Amino acid sequence: MDSVSLIEQAQAAYERGLNTAQEWLISPAAWSQFALLICAYLLARLVNRIMAPRLTKLLTPAEGSNSVFAQARRFILIFLPLLLPLLAYGFTAIGEAVTRSLFGSGAVIAFGKRIFLFLAARALANDILRDPFLRTLARYILVPAAALYAVGFLDAVVAALDGAVVNLGNISFSALAIVRGIVAGSLLFWLGQWSNSQSSAYIEQQPMRPAIRQLATRASEVAIFGIAFLILMNVMGISLSSLAIIGGAVGVGLGFGLQKIASNFISGVILMVEGQATVGDYVELDGGEAGTIIKMLARATILETYDGRWIVVPNEDFITTRVVNYSDSGSANRLEVPFSVSYDTDINRVPDIIEAAVAKHPGVLQEPEGPDCELRGFGDSGIDFGVEFWVNGIDDGPNKYASDVLFLIWNALKENDIEIPYPHRVIEVKGPVQL
C-alpha cells in the first residue's frame, strides 16, 4: 500500500468524521444522547462517592495481617480507581439500550461508552499497574487499542493485520498472529515468572528433603512454562502438528550435539531424587574438587570452597565418579588429632587426662562414643598418641575443631607437668676436635 492511498484513506476518514459530527450537532436524538451521557457520568460520580469509601473500609485488612484472604483483599483494593469509569460505562450501556428502543439509534451514546472504556484502560495503565513490564505493556498496547476502539478504527486495523500473511516453510501466520503472539507471549512469560516464584516459595515452606524440594521446584517450573508455550501456540493459531518436522530436526540435533547436556540433566534429576548429595553438604570428588554445595542446577552443581571460590561441577560427575560426602545432611563425623609426649612421662596417665580435656569442648559429642585417646607408637623424639572424637559437621573454616582440641591438649599437658617433646639429635664427631 503506497503513501498516496494512505493519505486518501485518512482524508476520507476525516470527511466521514466531520459529516458525523455535523449530523450529531443538528440531531435532536444526538442531543438527547449527549444528555444521557452527562447524566450517566454524574450518576457514576455520585455512586462512586458513596461506594468508594465503604469498599475501602470493607476491603482494608487489619494491620499486620498476612493471611491469604488479607492478601486477596489488598489485591482487589488496588483496582478501586477503575470503579468510576466502569460505573460510567455500565450506566451508559443502560442509556444506550433506552435510546435505541426509543429512537432506533444510539451512535452518540455508544461512542461515549467506548470513551469511558478507554478511560478505564488509561486508569489501569497509569494508576493501578506498578510492575514496570505490565505498565509498559498497558501503555503501549492496551491504551492504543482502546483508543482505536473508541474512534471505531479497531476493526479496520485488525482486518488489515489479519490480511498480511507471512509464510515460513509449511507454517503460515498473519501479522495479527505475530502481534497476538508478542502480547500473549509477554503476558504469559510474566505470568509464568510470577507463578514460578509463588510455587517456589510455597514448596520451600513444605517439610521435605532439600533434594526433593528442588526437584519439585524444577518440575513446577517446567510444567508452568510448558503450559504457557502450548497456550501461546494456540493464541497464535499455529498447529502443533506443523511443528513436527522442526521438532524432529531439533531432536536429532539434541541427540548428536547435546548428549552431555542431556546426560547432566538426567544426572541432576537422579541426584535430587536419591538425595545422596544436597545443598549444604560438603563433598569431595575424585578429581580433587571439594567444597560446600550451594546450588544444584539443571546442568551442574556449584561448590563453594573455603576461600569463597565457586566450582561448577557437571552433574554427571556425581554419578560416574566416587564422591565423598562429609556432611550427609548434618551426620556426625569422627576426627583425629595426633600429639606426642616426652619419654619421661608416665604414659598411663595420658589417656584419662586428654579424654577429660577434649570432652569439655562444646562441639565434641558423646554419641556414638566420647573422646578416645590411643597410643600410636614410639617415635624418634617422643611417644606418639592420637585422640579421636565425634562432631557434627566437618573441620572447616567456621568449625575449627582440630585447632580447639590442640589448645585443650596443650593446656591439659601443661597443667599436669607433662612435657611435649622437641626433636633430639645425637651428633657423633670422628677424629680430633680443633677448638
Side-chain angles (χ1 to χ4, degrees):
M1 185 179 295
D2 55 10
S3 59
V4 176
S5 59
L6 288 175
I7 293 173
E8 291 177 351
Q9 288 187 6
Q11 185 176 1
Y14 171 74
E15 292 177 354
R16 288 196 303 269
L18 184 61
N19 293 332
T20 302
Q22 291 175 351
E23 292 176 0
W24 287 357
L25 289 175
I26 61 176
S27 171
W31 281 103
S32 63
Q33 293 178 50
F34 277 123
L36 283 175
L37 274 176
I38 296 174
C39 292
Y41 177 72
L42 293 177
L43 181 60
R45 286 188 64 89
L46 178 62
V47 175
N48 179 72
R49 182 176 299 179
I50 296 173
M51 292 182 60
R54 297 182 180 180
L55 288 175
T56 302
K57 183 178 180 180
L58 178 64
L59 294 174
T60 302
E63 186 176 356
S65 177
N66 292 317
S67 64
V68 176
F69 294 105
Q71 295 178 6
R73 289 163 67 182
R74 290 192 185 97
F75 179 76
I76 298 174
L77 196 60
I78 295 174
F79 295 91
L80 199 59
L82 288 179
L83 182 61
L84 176 59
L86 291 181
L87 283 172
Y89 179 85
F91 292 147
T92 306
I94 297 174
E96 181 186 6
V98 173
T99 303
R100 291 189 183 276
S101 64
L102 294 178
F103 301 101
S105 173
V108 177
I109 200 167
F111 174 73
K113 184 178 68 172
R114 295 195 297 268
I115 291 294
F116 289 135
L117 192 61
F118 165 75
L119 293 177
R122 188 168 175 271
L124 180 67
N126 295 335
D127 302 328
I128 296 175
L129 297 178
R130 293 290 180 264
D131 185 82
F133 170 75
L134 291 180
R135 174 172 285 190
T136 301
L137 197 65
R139 283 182 175 178
Y140 296 102
I141 300 295
L142 179 62
V143 173
L148 290 173
Y149 174 71
V151 297
F153 289 159
L154 183 61
D155 292 338
V157 172
V158 170
L161 292 175
D162 194 33
V165 179
V166 178
N167 294 317
L168 182 62
N170 64 330
I171 303 176
S172 62
F173 45 86
S174 63
L176 180 62
I178 297 177
V179 174
R180 283 203 307 253
I182 294 174
V183 175
S186 301
L187 282 174
L188 288 171
F189 177 78
W190 178 87
L191 186 60
Q193 290 284 81
W194 179 83
S195 301
N196 185 51
S197 63
Q198 295 296 316
S199 62
S200 299
Y202 175 77
I203 293 172
E204 287 295 328
Q205 298 174 356
Q206 303 307 307
M208 58 179 68
R209 287 193 296 125
I212 299 299
R213 187 181 295 118
Q214 289 202 3
L215 180 61
T217 302
R218 296 287 177 267
S220 66
E221 183 177 0
V222 171
I224 288 171
F225 285 101
I227 294 173
F229 174 76
L230 295 177
I231 295 175
L232 179 60
M233 293 297 101
N234 187 46
V235 169
M236 294 184 65
I238 299 176
S239 174
L240 294 179
S241 60
S242 61
L243 298 176
I245 298 177
I246 299 177
V250 172
V252 173
L254 288 173
F256 286 99
L258 303 177
Q259 293 182 12
K260 282 292 184 182
I261 294 179
S263 175
N264 286 321
F265 178 78
I266 296 173
S267 300
V269 173
I270 295 174
L271 279 175
M272 292 179 183
V273 171
E274 294 184 347
Q276 295 178 351
T278 186
V279 174
D281 289 354
Y282 184 85
V283 297
E284 182 179 356
L285 280 72
D286 264 355
E289 302 90 350
T292 303
I293 299 177
I294 59 173
K295 288 183 180 180
M296 297 185 72
L297 306 176
R299 186 191 64 84
T301 298
I302 298 179
L303 309 181
E304 185 176 24
T305 62
Y306 294 147
D307 51 7
R309 291 182 173 87
W310 283 15
I311 304 175
V312 181
V313 181
N315 289 329
E316 186 181 10
D317 291 355
F318 283 85
I319 303 298
T320 59
T321 62
R322 184 177 65 91
V323 179
V324 180
N325 190 337
Y326 290 95
S327 300
D328 193 18
S329 299
S331 62
N333 292 285
R334 189 177 69 175
L335 304 179
E336 180 179 352
V337 172
F339 66 97
S340 300
V341 298
S342 171
Y343 274 103
D344 296 330
T345 305
D346 180 5
I347 61 174
N348 297 301
R349 301 170 51 207
V350 172
D352 293 337
I353 294 172
I354 299 303
E355 289 172 3
V358 175
K360 296 178 181 178
H361 192 286
V364 174
L365 305 176
Q366 296 301 318
E367 295 292 339
E369 60 179 337
D372 182 24
C373 183
E374 299 178 355
L375 178 65
R376 291 287 183 250
F378 303 100
D380 295 335
S381 303
I383 303 174
D384 298 330
F385 283 87
V387 58
E388 299 174 346
F389 54 94
W390 288 82
V391 294
N392 267 328
I394 58 174
D395 187 30
D396 54 7
N399 302 316
K400 301 177 178 61
Y401 295 122
S403 175
D404 295 342
V405 168
L406 284 173
F407 271 106
L408 293 172
I409 292 173
W410 172 273
N411 294 329
L413 294 178
K414 287 296 182 181
E415 290 173 0
N416 290 273
D417 296 325
I418 297 176
E419 181 183 354
I420 297 177
Y422 53 88
H424 293 77
R425 296 291 183 267
V426 177
I427 301 175
E428 181 180 354
V429 180
K430 293 183 179 181
V433 178
Q434 297 180 357
L435 299 176

